[in-house]
Amino acid sequence: MPEKPAILKLDDKEFVLPVLVGSEGERAVDVRTLRDTTGHITFDDGYGNTGACESGVTFIDGEKGILRYRGYSIEELAEKSTFIETAYLLIYGQLPSAAQLAAFKERILDNAQVHEGLRIALSGFPSTAHPMAVLSATLNTLGCYYPELGTNERAHDLAQLDEAAAVLISKVRTLAALAHRAKEGQPPVYPKPGLNYCGNFLHLMFSQPNADSEIHPEVAKALDLILLLHADHEQNCSTSTVRMVASGGANLFASVSAGVCALWGPLHGGANQAVIEMLEEIHRSGDDGSRFIAAAKDKSSGVRLMGFGHRVYKNYDPRAKIIKAQCDKVLKVLGRKDPLLDIAMRLEDAALNDPYFKQRNLYPNVDFYSGIILKAIGIPSEMFTVIFAIGRMPGWISHWKEIAEAPKQKIHRPRQVYVGETLRSYVPIEKRG
Ligand code: CMC
């Protein structure tokens, strides 16, 4: 039975608005005709309650703490799948057969190297460059080496997507590691065919030209899990940016490069770097966490408890639970005891029992514990958000594909409520006060 429409009353006139229902029962009032019929637009600063698209990639129920990729729960994928298999699932919508997975892996492996011109470009960045700036710039540059994969002609680019996706998933990791080495002034090393996706990333980050770094399988597994947990998260700041850029017809390389910039901010992907810096600051200052909690509750301080709170989750972020368990395992395997983990646990405990955080439904998010694992692995904090970007690449590709495949995709173009000056006359410079 069709859903009953919504009735909107404006100036004593009634307007009928259709109601859309998602596959999980989510309801949305369709306001697309509102401006034409009533002259009104809807206002929703920050898109807190705006459905910007229909999407079949990821489902989140923030109240219940549910996250599913293509219908599979994040808990089950974290336990049974791998980042590369999950990437396939996100992009193509189904789990791969053994043959499909083998072919996907091979394509990714074949694309592990980057062109020498890109290596030279990387060495041209100053040592002060943040790796997220370098990553965004080099992903866009990468597209210049594959003009046939990114023509800005939708049907053509879509037909090339299998190759473009493998190029991006493979090379984002190589570029990220090379950006790190260039910044550190270290000579480059080359990917090794015998290593898996994360093993190769660790090799590219830490090996020396004549001395391969030892890759601990548990460490590679933990990194794989972090990437899998970050692989998609429906309409967040960076994914919506990718969709926005793609809606104008831009190719995949340009769209994901914009996604990296959007991810960089500390309220989004940059939070994992901010969390570790916050924990280090608390440790340095000798605070047991209580002074920081008090500051985070004081609006005039400008301080926030980084790694806490989420626009959508009003319950424990399911990814945070999985990462927290992994964090203990990795520290044990590496034989490390990190005082920052103790501070993080104290902060979490204090915040979960504090009325300020309880009333606002502020729980730890994915970034609260991921930085501790990355730090234990030896990844510098400036690279944390880069790891997030590597993980999010399959999600961005899936959303770009969804836009490109939509039969009637309109360019994204929000409206606004103008609150600036009304019409006024130009004043010659000599008459201005
Ligand atoms: N510490 C202290 N107070 C907070 C925090 C926090 N981390 N987060 C939200 N609040 C307060 C906020 O001050 C506001 O209080 P009041 O109602 O009294 O004005 C209330 O909670 C609601 O906050 P908001 O900023 O309106 O909520 P939002 O949905 O716009 O923001 C957020 C979500 C994630 C940007 C925010 O919680 C935050 O800044 N958290 C810290 C940064 C962080 O960890 N970001 C990573 C998010 S997970 C990775 C990802 O998927 O991007």
Side-chain angles (χ1 to χ4, degrees), residues 83-92 104-105 107-109 111-112 139 142 161-176 197-198 201 227 231 252-253 256 389-398:
F83 172 61
I84 293 298
E85 186 187 54
T86 297
Y88 185 101
L89 168 71
L90 284 167
I91 297 169
Y92 298 105
F104 187 59
K105 279 185 179 169
R107 213 165 189 162
I108 288 174
L109 195 62
N111 274 300
L139 283 176
L142 182 62
L161 185 73
D162 291 350
E163 185 62 12
V167 164
L168 276 163
I169 291 173
S170 196
K171 292 189 202 296
V172 67
R173 163 213 43 192
T174 310
L175 286 170
Y197 187 83
C198 286
F201 177 71
L227 298 183
L252 182 61
F253 294 88
V256 300
I390 299 173
R392 188 53 56 88
M393 187 56 74
W396 289 335
I397 295 169
S398 318

Side-chain angles (χ1 to χ4, degrees), residues 290-305:
S290 49
R291 283 208 305 271
F292 195 91
I293 294 260
K297 293 191 306 186
D298 173 6
K299 304 279 179 220
S300 66
S301 71
V303 166
R304 280 194 167 196
L305 181 53

